[in-house]
Each structure stands twice: as C-alpha cells, then as structure tokens.
Amino acid sequence: MSLVKLTIKGISYSQTQNGAYALILNEVDGDRKLPIVIGAFEAQSIAIALEKEIKPPRPLTHDLFKNFADRFDIVVKQVIIHKLVDGVFYSSIICERDKIEEIIDARTSDAIALALRFSAPIFTYKNILDKAGIYLKGNPLDPEPAEPEQPLATTDSFGLSSNPKSGDATYTQKSLSELHEMLENAVQNEDYERAAKIRDEISRRES
C-alpha cells in the first residue's frame, strides 16, 4: 500500500465535545484534509511544538520523552497512521537506535506530538485517506481562492481556539443525501471537527 505524506494545517476547538479539539492534517500533494478529534492536553502539546518560540518552564510529557530518547540515542524516523476502525485512528512510531528499527504502537495525537519534536514526517496509507479524507471540490485549473476573512480558529497563546460553540453531534436521523450535503457545508465553513463526525456516520452506513 502506498503512503501519503501529511502536514499539519491547524487545530480548532471542537464544536460538539467540551474539552476536545480537531487536529487538521493536509495531504502534501493534494487538497484532501484529514480531521482527527483529540483531547485538550494533546492539543496543547501539539500547539506548543508548532509554536517554536513557546518554551514551557518544565518539560511536558512529550518533551520528557524527547529528552529521554535523546539521552539514549533513540530517533523517531517517521509516524504512520496505519488503521481506521469505527472512527478511531491508530498510529505507529518508527524509531531507530544503533541502526536497529523498532515499531511502537501509539495514539495518533501522541505520535504527532512526538513527530513534531523530532521533525519526523507524518504519513498515512492511501486507502485510509480515500476513506476518511475530506476532499475540497473545485477545478484544479481555477486560481487559488482568496483566504477566508476569519482564520481556522481564534487562538490563544498556545494556538488553541478560545471560542467554542455548541452543536448537535447526532446524525443518525439524517438521510445519506442530507449527510453528504451537511458534510459539504461543514467543509466549506472549515468546521472540520463536525465534518469528521459526519464523515464517520457516512462511512458506517456505506461500509
């Protein structure tokens, strides 16, 4: 199976789950986005790693892991999001020490927080992106659209959204055509956390 390289677009506050955030990944050579719902602690850790100028007074858990790995000459080579089951993403951290490679299971949020600290690339398999990626429709020959007036998320000093909104996370009563329309609207409004939930409901019905 072929691998697809991903980059981090940003983090937005979950509009349907208190204390949750949506991590938005972009495919490098395409327009699809992969939204992943993560917890507040992991969101803060990822945001701090993205904001290179922010240095916490004491190491966070992921910083401690990085310090530990550096001390024992362990290098994180890459992170692979390798499985998607019932809306849950599973990841592997590919490590190397003394030219011996090891594969370690990890939550996707932890794996990405560590990948940032090691400047390691993030990948997923094409079939996962085909299933869970959100594709922005449009003619590739059209000029680039103007940037939206509002950013992906209103951020505080850690790069996390500080403007949560309430929302309805129940989509079971909607028809498939209604869900597809809602998905398109959510993507257009850059509400990726909501889009991820609608996508998961569509995937459950079509599987």
Side-chain angles (χ1 to χ4, degrees):
M1 289 184 288
S2 59
L3 289 172
V4 179
K5 190 173 183 180
L6 302 170
T7 58
I8 297 174
K9 175 178 173 65
I11 303 171
S12 64
Y13 194 90
S14 168
Q15 299 188 21
T16 59
Q17 293 182 23
N18 286 334
Y21 290 80
L23 171 66
I24 315 303
L25 302 175
N26 266 1
E27 65 174 325
V28 169
D29 296 319
D31 297 322
R32 286 176 294 185
K33 292 174 173 57
L34 193 65
I36 300 174
V37 179
I38 62 176
F41 171 77
E42 292 79 11
Q44 184 185 70
S45 182
I46 290 170
I48 287 175
L50 289 169
E51 297 283 347
K52 302 293 185 183
E53 297 175 4
I54 295 177
K55 197 79 174 176
R58 294 179 64 81
L60 301 177
T61 302
H62 298 109
D63 298 318
L64 177 62
F65 184 97
K66 173 67 162 62
N67 295 339
F68 181 90
D70 288 344
R71 183 67 60 90
F72 291 95
D73 297 322
I74 300 168
V75 178
V76 171
K77 305 292 289 184
Q78 62 184 7
V79 161
I80 300 176
I81 303 170
H82 64 85
K83 187 166 65 172
L84 172 62
V85 179
D86 295 332
V88 177
F89 292 89
Y90 294 78
S91 294
S92 295
I93 301 173
I94 315 301
C95 302
E96 186 178 274
R97 181 173 184 265
D98 295 335
K99 297 183 179 180
I100 298 174
E101 190 174 274
E102 298 285 350
I103 301 175
I104 299 174
D105 244 359
R107 295 187 307 168
T108 296
S109 54
D110 290 328
I112 290 174
L114 290 173
L116 286 170
R117 285 162 171 81
F118 284 88
S119 299
I122 303 165
F123 296 94
T124 191
Y125 289 111
K126 183 179 180 298
N127 65 325
I128 292 178
L129 195 58
D130 289 342
K131 180 179 179 182
I134 295 172
Y135 185 75
L136 298 182
K137 295 179 181 178
N139 188 334
L141 299 180
D142 288 344
E144 282 289 315
E147 287 293 322
E149 293 183 6
Q150 297 298 324
L152 174 65
T154 304
T155 58
D156 58 20
S157 60
F158 289 114
L160 302 182
S161 168
S162 55
N163 185 28
K165 298 177 183 178
S166 60
D168 182 7
T170 304
Y171 305 108
T172 55
Q173 304 302 316
K174 303 293 183 181
S175 67
L176 264 178
S177 60
E178 288 174 319
L179 288 173
H180 281 289
E181 185 177 348
M182 290 169 67
L183 176 60
E184 187 171 342
N185 288 336
V187 171
Q188 291 300 324
N189 293 326
E190 295 194 349
D191 185 353
Y192 296 112
E193 189 271 340
R194 181 165 174 259
K197 292 184 177 299
I198 299 170
R199 174 206 64 203
D200 291 344
E201 177 63 25
I202 292 172
S203 295
R204 276 193 291 271
R205 296 195 197 182
E206 293 182 340
S207 60

